[in-house]
Amino acid sequence: MSDGRDLSHLPPLRDVIATHELAAKKAFGQHFLLDLNVTRRIVREAGDFTGVNIVEVGPGPGGLTRALVESPAASITAVERDPRFAVALADIVAASAGRMRLIEADALTVDPVDLVPAPRAVVSNLPYNVGTPLLIGWLKQIGEYRSLTLMFQKEVADRIVAGTRTPAYGRLAVMAQWVAHCRNLYDLPARAFTPPPKVDSAVVHLTPRERPADDPDFATMETLVAAAFGQRRKMLRASLKSLMKEPEPLLLSVGIPPTARAEEIDVAGFVALAKAWKPK
């Protein structure tokens, strides 16, 4: 009996797209990754998925999905809002020996934690237009995941892994690096996709960090970091006035010069600031 991992009998992805007339929709931010060598590499470098329940957002015609089904994952749950892909993905579901299911829904309205039991991971070539809000939602409960392996526009990926005093360092870097270990696995040129987007992409891998019991809550940290970077050219003593009348004493209390700008403050600095701040 098949274990549901051999998909060699399925037709090539380009044939599937042609047969079902599955042109990418710009409104959905769709760009298909059809090279199975690339999708298998993504899954391989994401780690050992033995016994892990995986959620994939935006499977499209199933390039990454096939690689996930070939992996030792316990289950694969694909979330796709475009109903056109149900027929194309049905062949993969049928070949998976019950390990894969397809949910037709907008990923912004579903919670992977509710969809599958732990241990769980998300592996996705994210639609360009919803990648960042999806990531922020998952970061809020990062401890529920074994890992997140996500493909973004390279510009967004750079913002996730950026270091202090760089143009890409901002809210996304601080929030992601605060709760997760973040690394760029590799870049992918636009020509790897069908149709090619106007920008290159990159795969980012995130795993939860151990966090102390007295860590600030997510909302407090998010509010503080947003204010700090909301006017990133201003000194913190000015940019934080949207939150408090006199930022200087608070900044000095945690060893941050009031004349510093947000891009100069590392994650630990923002954590210290958030812990010292008492929002009303």
Side-chain angles (χ1 to χ4, degrees):
M1 183 176 176
S2 170
D3 63 359
R5 294 178 190 164
D6 182 9
L7 305 183
S8 59
H9 62 287
L10 296 182
L13 284 164
R14 291 187 185 278
D15 291 354
V16 172
I17 290 172
T19 299
H20 300 292
E21 299 181 347
L22 299 175
K25 283 189 175 181
K26 187 175 182 180
F28 287 176
Q30 293 172 341
H31 298 279
F32 305 147
L33 188 57
L34 305 181
D35 188 335
L36 293 180
N37 291 320
V38 174
T39 59
R40 286 168 180 150
R41 180 184 174 189
I42 292 171
V43 173
R44 186 171 62 249
E45 295 198 14
D48 182 4
F49 284 137
T50 302
V52 177
N53 298 296
I54 295 176
V55 174
E56 180 191 7
V57 170
L64 183 57
T65 315
R66 292 192 185 196
L68 290 170
V69 172
E70 291 173 347
S71 81
S75 70
I76 300 92
T77 298
V79 180
E80 176 58 68
R81 68 176 289 192
D82 189 340
R84 298 179 303 150
F85 293 109
V87 175
L89 293 166
D91 288 342
I92 308 176
V93 173
S96 72
R99 292 170 56 242
M100 179 187 166
R101 62 174 174 156
L102 172 64
I103 295 176
E104 292 187 40
D106 184 335
L108 290 169
T109 67
V110 298
D111 185 350
V113 175
D114 295 333
L115 291 182
V116 299
R120 67 179 70 80
V122 178
V123 184
S124 293
N125 171 17
L126 292 175
Y128 279 179
N129 53 356
V130 294
T132 300
L134 283 172
L135 174 61
I136 292 296
W138 298 333
L139 289 176
K140 290 179 179 179
Q141 45 185 350
I142 188 68
E144 298 287 347
Y145 298 96
R146 174 78 63 86
S147 63
L148 307 173
T149 306
L150 309 172
M151 189 180 305
F152 297 93
Q153 293 171 265
K154 188 173 184 329
E155 176 191 357
V156 176
D158 289 345
R159 286 167 47 208
I160 294 169
V161 303
T164 55
R165 300 175 186 272
T166 64
Y169 184 71
R171 295 166 59 181
L172 197 55
V174 174
M175 298 306 294
Q177 294 173 34
W178 167 44
V179 297
H181 299 281
C182 309
R183 63 190 179 99
N184 186 336
L185 292 183
Y186 56 91
D187 298 341
L188 275 173
R191 65 177 180 276
F193 297 84
T194 302
K198 294 181 180 179
V199 295
D200 292 342
S201 298
V203 181
V204 179
H205 188 63
L206 303 95
T207 54
R209 282 187 180 277
E210 290 284 340
R211 291 164 58 197
D214 66 343
D215 233 17
D217 65 81
F218 199 94
T220 297
M221 187 76 164
E222 194 171 28
T223 300
L224 183 70
V225 173
F229 283 100
Q231 302 176 74
R232 63 183 296 145
R233 292 185 179 181
K234 289 190 175 183
M235 298 175 184
L236 287 172
R237 66 185 182 191
S239 60
L240 293 180
K241 281 193 173 180
S242 61
L243 298 181
M244 59 197 84
K245 285 186 177 180
E246 299 294 338
E248 291 200 25
L250 183 71
L251 291 162
L252 290 169
S253 73
V254 294
I256 296 176
T259 54
R261 290 175 173 79
E263 65 185 30
E264 301 172 50
I265 310 304
D266 62 13
V267 175
F270 278 111
V271 171
L273 196 57
K275 287 164 68 172
W277 178 48
K278 300 291 189 288
K280 294 179 181 179

